[in-house]
Amino acid sequence: MGMQRSTRVRRRYTPAQRDKILAAYQRSRLPQKDFAAQTGIGHSTLTLWLRKAATTKVKVGGPSTFVPVPNLFSAAVAAPAFRLRFPQGHVVEVAAGFQAEELGALLQLIQAL
């Protein structure tokens, strides 16, 4: 016997339609399976769209919130320019080029501890 073919027709969505559906999903706060069932799209389709949206620079619902973080585990990290030891036992290491305003705020915070 031969294999039976599915009679289900695959629906194509424009990028604007996909973005609208993804925005509705984010607002819904429903589990992916529930939202997909209510919307009439496959759960695997929704997860694929979400994965693709996560890898683009602009995420659904707004700009990316990427924040660069220095690699603190790198062997190339320079020694601190200053090391401050406080009577309470706190130690602050300050790298060269640290903003004076930020250092002032940090020192005030430490003194309040």
Side-chain angles (χ1 to χ4, degrees), residues 48-83:
L48 175 68
W49 291 354
L50 290 167
R51 217 172 326 134
K52 284 184 177 180
T55 61
T56 61
K57 287 186 180 181
V58 178
K59 295 187 179 193
V60 175
S64 173
T65 56
F66 175 76
V67 177
V69 177
N71 182 357
L72 300 177
F73 297 106
S74 171
V77 174
F82 303 99
R83 182 174 290 129

Side-chain angles (χ1 to χ4, degrees), residues 26-103:
Q26 289 181 339
R27 286 190 310 270
S28 75
R29 299 191 177 265
L30 290 172
Q32 290 179 7
K33 285 185 179 184
D34 294 345
F35 179 83
Q38 287 181 9
T39 310
I41 61 174
H43 177 246
S44 60
T45 300
L46 179 61
T47 56
L48 175 68
W49 291 354
L50 290 167
R51 217 172 326 134
K52 284 184 177 180
T55 61
T56 61
K57 287 186 180 181
V58 178
K59 295 187 179 193
V60 175
S64 173
T65 56
F66 175 76
V67 177
V69 177
N71 182 357
L72 300 177
F73 297 106
S74 171
V77 174
F82 303 99
R83 182 174 290 129
L84 306 169
R85 293 184 192 275
F86 289 84
Q88 304 92 341
H90 303 295
V91 177
V92 175
E93 294 181 347
V94 182
F98 199 86
Q99 297 293 325
E101 299 83 25
E102 292 177 356
L103 178 58

